Amino acid sequence: MAETGIDGKGRAALVASGAVYKPRQGTFACTHLEPAERVAIACKARLDCVAVLRAEGVWTGHYAGIHLRLRRGDRHAPARVAATHRDIRVHWDTELFPGGSKTRVSTKEALFCAARCLPPEDLIAAIESAVHLGRLTPAEAHEVMVALPRRLRVDIEKVDTLFRAQSGYETKVRLRLEARGHNVVPQFPLHGVGHLDNLVDRVVAVETDGKQHAETLEEDHRRDLMTEAAGIRVLRIGPRLVDREWDKVLTVIERMIREAQQRKVTDSAKPLSTRRIRRTHRPDR
């Protein structure tokens, strides 16, 4: 703050007004900072990894906690961290993708770091989420994926390079169904409906709801009705079912697929004599 030309009395006045606060000796910070950023400043560090992604709205699953990037050689850092907050994970690595701000590493750096903290499903969802939200461009996401260790690339190959998913749960549903050998098209366009979250084997739409609001229920019902009218079965599920009862969900989805495919086979096998054929009668000449 001395760089701004504000003297001691001015600093004291700002603290008294509540505009700034003093997180540690010799440091002043604005009070509008988020709680996690306040912890970072108190530790003489920057937010890192999933803490940055979560602050930017990028998918991180249920992975919580504060992750900080500390400077190598700062021998007092562990003591500051221990005295500030208990739920902290420290990263000491040199930045591969520098940038960001005084309180956060760059989004690219945070995503690269998160590859070692997030489970594979959530990491893939985080990459797709970062692009969907505009936090990274597809080219920047590709840079991060290429830089990842070789052991992680097998999982990273499952990223949808078109980045179509609109939520982490949509990505997780797609990955699990693809692992079972199903063909899944994210955000499939359907006339009169919009886009289906995931179209499975071209016969079943799996819609993954987030938080429901009363005003969206009627629209969801209309979408489901129009999808069924187009000959595609619909299963609408919520996050809790994906997290805790996936085995049951998978059983239902695969049963719906079998029934829909069997119906198609049966319909195509019907003899012409049983089908209604429109004829045009011409008067005798």
Side-chain angles (χ1 to χ4, degrees):
M1 188 173 288
E3 297 175 357
T4 64
I6 301 176
D7 59 15
K9 289 184 178 180
R11 292 195 292 268
L14 286 172
V15 171
S17 70
V20 300
Y21 74 105
K22 191 174 182 179
R24 65 174 191 269
Q25 185 65 33
T27 301
F28 294 85
C30 296
T31 53
H32 70 263
L33 292 174
E34 297 179 4
E37 290 178 316
R38 291 188 175 211
V39 172
I41 291 175
C43 294
K44 202 175 181 179
R46 292 196 293 167
L47 286 185
D48 194 8
C49 197
V50 296
V52 172
L53 299 181
R54 189 168 56 248
E56 296 184 354
V58 175
W59 173 269
T60 58
H62 301 293
Y63 200 92
I66 298 175
H67 290 231
L68 300 180
R69 179 67 59 95
L70 296 175
R71 295 179 182 176
R72 288 185 178 278
D74 186 352
R75 59 191 180 89
H76 299 295
R80 285 197 302 271
V81 170
T84 303
H85 201 284
R86 288 181 295 178
D87 190 16
I88 290 179
R89 180 163 180 174
V90 172
H91 299 280
W92 295 90
D93 301 337
T94 302
E95 290 184 49
L96 184 64
F97 300 103
S101 66
K102 290 184 178 181
T103 58
R104 303 178 183 180
V105 302
S106 68
T107 305
K108 288 171 67 176
E109 181 69 19
L111 191 58
F112 178 77
C113 185
R116 289 164 292 176
C117 294
L118 291 175
E121 274 189 353
D122 288 324
L123 174 59
I124 293 171
I127 295 171
E128 295 182 5
S129 173
V131 175
H132 171 70
L133 294 173
R135 304 302 184 189
L136 294 179
T137 66
E140 289 173 328
H142 181 71
E143 287 181 41
V144 174
M145 291 188 284
V146 169
L148 290 173
R150 184 176 300 176
R151 62 183 174 81
L152 294 174
R153 292 181 190 172
V154 174
D155 295 316
I156 294 304
E157 289 176 357
K158 301 172 186 175
V159 169
D160 173 27
T161 54
L162 297 179
F163 303 99
R164 289 168 286 185
Q166 295 186 357
S167 78
Y169 280 109
E170 288 181 29
T171 297
K172 295 180 79 167
V173 167
R174 173 179 63 81
L175 292 173
R176 293 177 186 183
L177 289 170
E178 288 179 340
R180 292 280 295 183
H182 296 289
N183 175 264
V184 185
V185 181
Q187 291 298 308
F188 180 82
L190 184 63
H191 179 70
V193 175
H195 289 78
L196 306 176
D197 289 351
N198 282 302
L199 180 62
V200 189
D201 294 338
R202 303 196 70 81
V203 293
V204 173
V206 181
E207 296 287 293
T208 311
D209 291 335
K211 294 181 179 179
Q212 282 294 310
H213 301 283
E215 59 269 21
T216 66
L217 290 176
E218 185 174 350
E219 174 60 18
D220 287 342
H221 293 162
R222 187 197 68 82
R223 283 169 47 86
D224 292 349
L225 179 64
M226 296 297 291
T227 303
E228 290 278 356
I232 299 174
R233 298 297 315 278
V234 182
L235 178 65
R236 188 171 291 275
I237 57 177
R240 188 181 184 90
L241 291 176
V242 178
D243 287 334
R244 302 186 182 184
E245 299 187 62
W246 176 250
D247 289 343
K248 294 179 182 178
V249 171
L250 179 61
T251 298
V252 172
I253 292 173
E254 293 188 328
R255 187 190 70 201
M256 293 173 68
I257 292 171
R258 289 193 300 270
E259 291 174 350
Q261 290 175 336
Q262 183 59 43
R263 184 178 62 192
K264 281 192 171 185
V265 171
T266 301
D267 289 345
S268 64
K270 288 181 180 179
L272 289 176
S273 60
T274 64
R275 302 179 188 176
R276 299 182 64 181
I277 302 177
R278 184 176 180 180
R279 299 177 182 273
T280 301
H281 297 280
R282 296 181 180 178
D284 294 335
R285 293 181 179 178

